[in-house]
């Protein structure tokens, strides 16, 4: 979520119903702090050779820092305050952070079946404890992702489990679809990603059938995209190319992202965007085939359309 992030570990691509393919990604080096061009955010080195670290969010401790929840188990309630700390190698709470996209730390909280999602921004006290109210009405196991850059360090996404007591009725993953609707808005996804290569995907916002061309900046961008791999909740947070006020990037309807991906499988995408003063979240399920499956699908498509070689 900041311009000093490195694109590594877990990178996303889209296929199946979108005609989008994903595969193992390669790491991108950190960008200069003032670079607005494209702010792509992921954590952890690239996967693929079997020797690199896992994608972001899978580890509670990484890079010398630990995510410590004060209460890793709680009762289901609509307004539950979560408190946590980021500890350094000496076990001391971190109190200084590098601000990115208007915040020192971004917190993602998602139920394990991905039927509940929250992107919130905790408050830090003088002793290094973060706190934020959460809607934990629905019981179940949750994953908490802390996305931050410690002062003098590199961007990290750490993950920890939060158990919410009560009757738990897990829901199946929604089927893959090209569009998502939320509060009268329709978001469509288009693009093609080549396995192992950075490519562009565009999410376009419309309302009542008309393109939205006056999206409002939210945390310094026109859109924030979080993707989670269904099998293990590996985490990717990506920001769009360009930024508001650069004289080039339009305020919709399309928000373009550069992304790659780590593996075949099902993914869940969450796009935050702001319009008319309200932040909304559009949710997608993406089914990602293997590279071989993509090649076969492309060949079949070429034969059916008469454009095969």
């Amino acid at each position: 979520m900041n311009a000093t992030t490195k694109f590594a570990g877990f990178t996303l691509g889209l296929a199946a119903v979108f005609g989008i393919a994903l595969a193992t990604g390669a790491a991108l080096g950190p960008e200069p702090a003032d670079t607005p061009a494209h702010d792509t955010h992921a954590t952890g080195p690239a996967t693929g050779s079997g020797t690199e670290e896992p994608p972001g969010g899978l580890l509670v401790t990484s890079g010398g820092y630990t995510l410590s929840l004060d209460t890793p188990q709680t009762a289901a309630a609509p307004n539950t305050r979560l408190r946590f700390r980021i500890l350094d190698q000496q076990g001391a709470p971190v109190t200084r952070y590098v601000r990115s996209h208007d915040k020192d730390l971004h917190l993602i909280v998602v139920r394990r079946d991905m039927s509940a999602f929250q992107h919130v921004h905790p408050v830090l006290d003088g002793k290094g404890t973060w706190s934020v109210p959460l809607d934990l009405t629905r019981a179940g196991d949750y994953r908490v992702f802390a996305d931050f850059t410690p002062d003098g360090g590199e961007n990290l996404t750490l993950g920890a489990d939060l158990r919410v007591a009560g009757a738990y009725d897990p829901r199946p993953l929604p089927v893959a679809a090209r569009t998502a609707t939320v509060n009268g808005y329709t978001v469509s996804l288009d693009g093609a990603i080549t396995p192992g290569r950075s490519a562009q995907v565009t999410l376009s916002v419309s309302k009542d059938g008309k393109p939205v061309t006056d999206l409002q900046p939210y945390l310094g961008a026109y859109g924030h995209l979080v993707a989670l791999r269904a099998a293990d909740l590996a985490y990717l947070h990506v920001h769009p190319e360009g930024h508001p006020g650069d004289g080039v990037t339009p305020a919709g309807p399309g928000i373009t992202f550069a992304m790659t991906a780590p593996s075949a499988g099902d993914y869940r995408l969450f796009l935050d965007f702001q319009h008319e003063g309200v932040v909304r979240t559009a949710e997608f399920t993406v089914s990602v085939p293997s590279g071989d499956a993509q090649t076969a699908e492309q060949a079949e498509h070429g034969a059916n359309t008469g454009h095969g070689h």
Side-chain angles (χ1 to χ4, degrees), residues 139-157:
D141 288 338
Y142 286 73
R143 189 69 174 172
V144 176
F145 299 95
D147 184 345
F148 64 95
T149 302
D151 187 33
E154 296 184 343
N155 179 261
L156 289 169
T157 298

Side-chain angles (χ1 to χ4, degrees), residues 7-8 44 103 118 139 145 169 171 173 179 209 215 239 285 301-302:
F7 187 5
K103 300 295 179 180
Q118 297 173 72
F145 299 95
D169 182 19
R171 300 184 181 182
L173 197 68
T179 60
L215 290 172
H239 286 291
T285 297
H301 177 73

Side-chain angles (χ1 to χ4, degrees), residues 99-237:
R99 177 156 290 207
S100 66
H101 288 275
D102 301 334
K103 300 295 179 180
D104 286 348
L105 184 145
H106 297 257
L107 197 75
I108 306 298
V109 181
V110 61
R111 204 167 81 150
R112 278 282 176 178
D113 63 358
M114 290 190 283
S115 64
F117 173 89
Q118 297 173 72
H119 177 179
V120 294
H121 301 100
V123 175
L124 180 66
D125 69 15
K127 296 182 179 180
T129 296
W130 294 92
S131 64
V132 65
L134 297 174
D135 181 1
L136 299 176
T137 306
R138 297 167 58 191
D141 288 338
Y142 286 73
R143 189 69 174 172
V144 176
F145 299 95
D147 184 345
F148 64 95
T149 302
D151 187 33
E154 296 184 343
N155 179 261
L156 289 169
T157 298
L158 302 179
D161 286 337
L162 173 65
R163 293 178 172 84
V164 180
Y168 177 37
D169 182 19
R171 300 184 181 182
L173 197 68
V175 297
R178 183 183 296 271
T179 60
T181 58
V182 54
N183 302 130
Y185 291 81
T186 298
V187 180
S188 59
L189 189 152
D190 186 34
I193 291 184
T194 302
R197 299 180 183 178
S198 178
Q200 291 184 336
V201 171
T202 299
L203 293 107
S204 299
V205 182
S206 63
K207 182 181 181 183
D208 300 325
K210 298 180 180 179
V212 174
T213 58
D214 57 345
L215 290 172
Q216 297 166 321
Y218 173 58
L219 301 174
Y222 285 129
H224 294 255
L225 183 64
V226 170
L228 300 171
R229 186 166 54 189
D232 57 4
L233 297 192
Y235 172 97
L236 174 68
H237 195 148

